[in-house]
Amino acid sequence: MTEDKKNTEETQEKEEFEVVMPEANRVEMPATEFKEQPDYLKTFANFYISKFDESDLEIMDVYDGNHDVIEINTYLTNNMAFSRQNLVKHVLNIHAERFIDMLNNIQKQTGVDPQNMKTYEDWDKWYTDRRNEIKQTLS
């Protein structure tokens, strides 16, 4: 066999078994757009998430108008990998209406104006007061 013929056969064999990988078709997801939320709503969501972390949301059930607590809690459970700041931002982007519904029920039933509750401590005191109003039994 001549040298040229040998080289030609080797080249044909290499081409026959050469693996060609197609270029990946990459698609970038658009950045999430977040609506600007009022501070009182962010404060309440932060307070709510804190109580969720403590498994201490029993009192919120009283102000649940339309399965808001279940929907919000499901979202929180599925997204606990977010930092608290990001979790507040994301949960409000999806469930702001549910928080507003809950706040409207709180306002109707207790007379508390959510817009005047400016800090976490305001909500924590309110929650403690609600808890203390529950009659205790010794049975």
Side-chain angles (χ1 to χ4, degrees):
M1 190 180 287
T2 66
E3 189 68 30
D4 282 343
K5 190 174 182 182
K6 186 175 178 184
N7 286 340
T8 304
E9 284 179 7
E10 285 178 7
T11 304
Q12 285 176 347
E13 191 174 300
K14 283 182 184 177
E15 288 175 1
E16 197 175 303
F17 294 106
E18 188 175 339
V19 177
V20 178
M21 295 294 291
E23 185 62 34
N25 185 10
R26 295 191 173 110
V27 176
E28 286 189 31
M29 291 184 64
T32 304
E33 292 186 25
F34 295 98
K35 295 177 254 173
E36 186 58 35
Q37 302 292 349
D39 287 340
Y40 77 91
L41 193 57
K42 292 179 204 174
T43 301
F44 180 72
N46 185 40
F47 167 77
Y48 185 96
I49 293 168
S50 171
K51 290 300 180 188
F52 175 83
D53 287 344
E54 296 170 9
S55 298
D56 187 18
L57 286 173
E58 298 83 18
I59 293 173
M60 286 301 172
D61 266 350
V62 174
Y63 309 106
D64 187 1
N66 190 23
H67 307 293
D68 299 319
V69 170
I70 291 171
E71 294 298 324
I72 292 168
N73 291 356
T74 300
Y75 184 85
L76 294 176
T77 299
N78 292 335
N79 292 285
M80 287 310 289
F82 285 128
S83 68
R84 173 70 63 86
Q85 184 179 12
N86 277 333
L87 189 55
V88 168
K89 189 167 58 169
H90 283 267
V91 75
L92 286 177
N93 203 39
I94 304 294
H95 292 297
E97 303 83 29
R98 293 189 180 280
F99 281 106
I100 290 170
D101 185 39
M102 204 178 311
L103 287 170
N104 288 337
N105 290 335
I106 289 171
Q107 187 169 14
K108 286 177 195 170
Q109 294 178 31
T110 66
V112 169
D113 183 2
Q115 294 184 25
N116 291 333
M117 305 290 274
K118 300 194 184 298
T119 65
Y120 177 92
E121 288 76 22
D122 291 340
W123 280 111
D124 195 44
K125 182 182 179 327
W126 172 84
Y127 200 78
T128 302
D129 291 346
R130 296 289 83 69
R131 182 177 293 290
N132 290 337
E133 288 177 3
I134 298 172
K135 301 208 182 333
Q136 303 294 324
T137 63
L138 296 175
S139 57

